[in-house]
Amino acid sequence: MSWTEQYDARSCVLLRLGDRRFALAADQVSELVAPSRMFRFAHRTPEIDGVILRRGRVVPVCDVAEKLTGKRLTSRRFYLISARRLGARADWVALPVSGDCELIQADLTPAGPSDSPHVAAWLSHDGEVIEVLNLGALTPGMEPQDGSNGNAVLAEARV
Amino acid sequence: MRFESVHKAPAVRTEQIILFRSSNQIFAISSASVQEVRSVDSLGGAAMEINEPAVPKVRHILRRGERNVYVVNSAAHFGLRPSPAALIFLLRKTRVALLIDGIEKMTTMTRLQALSEAFCHEERVWYRGLTVLDQNVIPVVNPLGFLTDGELLQLDAAAGALIEAEAANAQEMGLTP
């Protein structure tokens, strides 16, 4: 791979789901909060566990671990509150994570056509190759914006 | 003599709501969309049974003048466990009556938050949004979201057949409908 195939260095948040690590672009992350009371009400979106209240805003909790690792999280240490872009506005979702999160600076490699839609890019950190997630493809209610691997979503989120 | 202050804080828009229970869950509905609250017992003779397999959440019709009002079981509508219903809300500007377990209280909401786009199935029709009351999140139901136009058509067809059969029955017995 040539250097021209790499994006610029970019801030990402590393998150842990079970024994695997994933990354999200830092500008898609609002805050990391301790699990708080979850409110549940009748609905038909299976990916949503319930909602939490954060700064007066109702935020749906979406456990993406099963999609990414094949297993639901047994322990939820934090909620990573993340923003999905819907045109000019942001729609927030809380992603349960099972360990500490880490803010890093990393060079991103764009996802290829054969990558899953939830992969926006790849990064390498501590000898580990890590998927940078495309929230739009991973959480309900949003179509992947470029229909393939979510690069367009990542590009839009770039500063 | 005192003058009233010229600068008033903008009035907060509020809405009167009724909190009701269905299968141990709390929902809110705008008071303005509820025309009458009746006890299930008081409707005993007035309700006709209907069995339209495509709309299992409706088991009874009320005749209000020339109109059929369909009684929607709220627990069945929301996919909750069946529970003993005690009250019926007759809704305004719709041909729907809602069977509920009971009224929790009447209160006021000051803010209705849109449902996140992450909710992307029937709940988008079921609810107008969410409100926060006493640090609880309560879904505010959409009074027009209980029966679709298609379901109303199916129910109208079934009710029409039912009423015709009843009229024919009454004629056979020498009774006037």
Side-chain angles (χ1 to χ4, degrees), chain B residues 114-128 142:
Chain B
L115 212 56
S116 159
E117 298 291 334
F119 290 99
C120 54
H121 293 281
E122 285 149 287
E123 60 272 12
R124 299 207 73 78
V125 181
W126 293 350
Y127 304 129
R128 288 169 55 204
N142 169 13

Side-chain angles (χ1 to χ4, degrees), chain A residues 21-91:
Chain A
R21 287 203 297 182
F22 297 89
L24 261 181
D27 54 12
Q28 290 184 301
V29 175
S30 157
E31 56 183 329
L32 186 67
V33 300
S36 54
R37 182 179 167 195
M38 180 148 22
F39 301 92
R40 295 175 202 271
F41 54 85
H43 65 82
R44 291 271 162 83
T45 306
E47 297 93 334
I48 305 283
D49 291 346
V51 296
I52 56 169
L53 259 180
R54 191 68 196 157
R55 302 179 196 276
R57 185 188 288 140
V58 178
V59 182
V61 175
C62 184
D63 188 348
V64 293
E66 197 168 6
K67 257 189 193 173
L68 292 172
T69 67
K71 282 183 264 178
R72 282 184 82 81
L73 287 187
T74 46
S75 78
R76 296 176 169 193
R77 197 142 169 223
F78 299 107
Y79 289 137
L80 195 64
I81 313 259
S82 317
R84 312 179 313 158
R85 307 260 189 268
L86 291 169
R89 70 191 176 86
D91 192 48

Side-chain angles (χ1 to χ4, degrees), chain B residues 50-59 151 154-155 158:
Chain B
I50 187 170
N51 185 12
E52 171 50 54
V55 196
K57 62 188 171 187
V58 174
R59 303 299 304 271
E151 286 172 328
Q154 282 173 309
L155 288 166

Side-chain angles (χ1 to χ4, degrees), chain B residues 5-20:
Chain B
S5 165
V6 178
H7 301 289
K8 283 184 181 170
V12 180
R13 268 191 68 186
T14 61
E15 188 173 331
Q16 282 284 328
I17 51 172
I18 302 171
L19 300 189
F20 65 91

